[in-house]
Amino acid sequence: MSWDWEKLKEQQRKRDGLPPQMDEFVKKFGEFKVPGAPLLILVILLVLIGSSMFYTIRTSEVGVVQRFGKFVRTTQPGLHFKLPAGIETVKRVNVRRVMTEEFTGSVTGYATANSNITLMLTGDLNVALVPWIVQYRIKDPYHYLFKVRNVDVLLRDMSEASMRLVVGDRSIDEVISKRNEIAVESQELLQKEMDQAETGIEIVTIEMKKTDVPAPVQPSLNEVNQATQEKEQTIYQAKEEYNKAIPAARGEADRTIKAAEGYALDRINRAKGDAARFMAVYEEYVKAKDVTRRRLYLEALKELLPKLENKYIVDADQKNLLPLLNLGKQDGGIK
């Protein structure tokens, strides 16, 4: 009795659920024939090659063409031609989309898995929680793709370094109250570092979130703020008293100075007037000494006599002058 071993093996495979052997599959595929198959395959290959030679770049993108992996050129939005696939490839880079990196809490990949990237030391040796957001876009696709490996990692590292540098130069009060200034300064510093590293990234903006201090140091900070407010209030009161006292003292000083200047001017003018009168009298005296002397004598008597109560006139030529008693008590005395 002859056994059909091939038939038995086929039945065994069907029972066991095994797939057909590869050689049998290839054999059957070779037996399958379609009229004009080589021509059809050639047409399909030509269509595939032709379709890979044309590509379209959108309005928000820039095409980066590589030939065997080497950068060749960049292309602007529109329909373009390139060598077939396998020779030239195209990478489309969106240069208008604004991307975001957030620095708002713990991150991985650092010293410990619980590292808090927002925990920073300020210039006055206080600790602050400084969350922020970086928005950026790609301005140079060539630099972005080929100059730096892992641009996103570099961006995060440099953003953290820039923020820590800016915060480290300011006090805790400035970090809390002057967030806009810190954001602008850190943006300028980060952009400078990105340009120096040739990352091809433009920093659109840095937005500072609410800055605070860690919960364990919040009571101490409140005490410091209260002391600062009391200090400012005391300074304000002192300035208020100063503004009241100093202008009054200055006004009094100005009045005293003006009075002294007026008195000095009056004394000078009087002295000048007396000197002028004396010189005028002296000039007249030089011209006529007797007349001037008599006039001065008479003017002096005219000024002196009205001030005297009783006047007694005695003749200068009288030789036998009898003593007169009680001259001032006689009503009929000679006057």
Side-chain angles (χ1 to χ4, degrees), residues 76-312:
Q76 300 302 316
L79 181 64
H80 300 278
F81 172 81
K82 69 176 184 64
L83 296 180
I87 300 177
E88 288 186 348
T89 58
V90 179
K91 290 184 178 179
R92 295 171 175 83
V93 180
N94 195 321
V95 295
R96 293 188 181 181
R97 182 167 63 94
V98 177
M99 293 169 283
T100 301
E101 285 285 351
E102 295 188 6
F103 303 84
T104 55
S106 61
V107 295
T108 58
Y110 288 83
T112 62
N114 295 325
S115 297
N116 195 333
I117 197 173
T118 62
L119 192 63
M120 298 186 183
L121 185 66
T122 62
D124 54 357
L125 302 182
N126 285 301
V127 178
L129 293 175
V130 186
W132 76 99
I133 296 175
V134 177
Q135 293 182 334
Y136 67 97
R137 67 179 184 85
I138 302 172
K139 67 176 180 179
D140 191 329
Y142 171 71
H143 285 172
Y144 180 77
L145 293 176
F146 303 108
K147 286 292 185 177
V148 179
R149 180 179 296 177
N150 297 329
V151 180
D152 297 338
V153 175
L154 178 63
L155 174 64
R156 292 189 65 88
D157 293 341
M158 296 308 301
S159 179
E160 180 184 357
S162 301
M163 185 60 67
R164 290 187 182 277
L165 182 61
V166 175
V167 171
D169 292 336
R170 296 176 178 268
S171 65
I172 185 66
D173 294 334
E174 292 176 330
V175 172
I176 294 176
S177 61
K178 297 182 179 180
R179 292 181 295 174
N180 292 334
E181 295 181 7
I182 294 176
V184 172
E185 186 176 351
S186 59
Q187 178 180 349
E188 294 175 354
L189 184 59
L190 178 59
Q191 184 65 67
K192 181 180 178 181
E193 296 296 334
M194 291 292 100
D195 294 341
Q196 186 175 358
E198 296 183 344
T199 58
I201 287 178
E202 177 185 2
I203 306 300
V204 177
T205 183
I206 291 182
E207 180 183 354
M208 300 290 295
K209 296 297 184 180
K210 182 181 179 181
T211 305
D212 206 344
V213 297
V217 300
Q218 185 66 48
S220 299
L221 181 64
N222 293 335
E223 293 179 1
V224 172
N225 292 334
Q226 183 178 359
T228 303
Q229 293 176 358
E230 293 177 356
K231 169 188 168 184
E232 293 177 352
Q233 184 178 3
T234 304
I235 293 174
Y236 175 79
Q237 293 175 353
K239 288 183 177 179
E240 185 177 4
E241 295 296 330
Y242 173 87
N243 293 332
K244 291 180 180 179
I246 295 301
R250 287 177 179 172
E252 185 65 25
D254 290 339
R255 285 193 296 270
T256 304
I257 292 172
K258 294 297 183 183
E261 290 176 350
Y263 177 76
L265 183 61
D266 179 68
R267 295 293 296 175
I268 291 172
N269 292 334
R270 286 177 179 273
K272 288 181 178 179
D274 294 340
R277 286 193 300 271
F278 177 80
M279 292 302 298
V281 172
Y282 177 75
E283 292 175 357
E284 295 296 330
Y285 176 77
V286 171
K287 295 178 181 178
K289 295 182 179 182
D290 295 337
V291 175
T292 303
R293 188 181 297 115
R294 183 176 293 274
R295 183 174 63 82
L296 292 174
Y297 175 75
L298 294 176
E299 289 178 354
L301 289 178
K302 181 180 179 181
E303 183 180 354
L304 181 61
L305 290 176
K307 298 178 181 180
L308 300 176
E309 296 180 356
N310 298 322
K311 308 167 187 68
Y312 302 95

Side-chain angles (χ1 to χ4, degrees), residues 19-122:
Q21 297 295 331
M22 182 59 66
D23 54 350
E24 295 180 1
F25 177 77
V26 174
K27 181 179 178 181
K28 291 182 179 181
F29 182 78
E31 295 176 353
F32 180 77
K33 295 181 180 179
V34 177
L39 180 60
L40 179 62
I41 293 174
L42 179 62
V43 171
I44 293 174
L45 290 176
L46 291 176
V47 171
L48 293 175
I49 293 173
S51 62
S52 66
M53 297 174 66
F54 295 93
Y55 65 96
T56 302
I57 301 298
R58 298 175 183 174
T59 56
S60 60
E61 298 175 338
V62 171
V64 179
V65 181
Q66 296 175 258
R67 184 177 300 165
F68 298 113
K70 181 181 179 180
F71 171 77
V72 179
R73 64 186 180 275
T74 58
T75 55
Q76 300 302 316
L79 181 64
H80 300 278
F81 172 81
K82 69 176 184 64
L83 296 180
I87 300 177
E88 288 186 348
T89 58
V90 179
K91 290 184 178 179
R92 295 171 175 83
V93 180
N94 195 321
V95 295
R96 293 188 181 181
R97 182 167 63 94
V98 177
M99 293 169 283
T100 301
E101 285 285 351
E102 295 188 6
F103 303 84
T104 55
S106 61
V107 295
T108 58
Y110 288 83
T112 62
N114 295 325
S115 297
N116 195 333
I117 197 173
T118 62
L119 192 63
M120 298 186 183
L121 185 66
T122 62

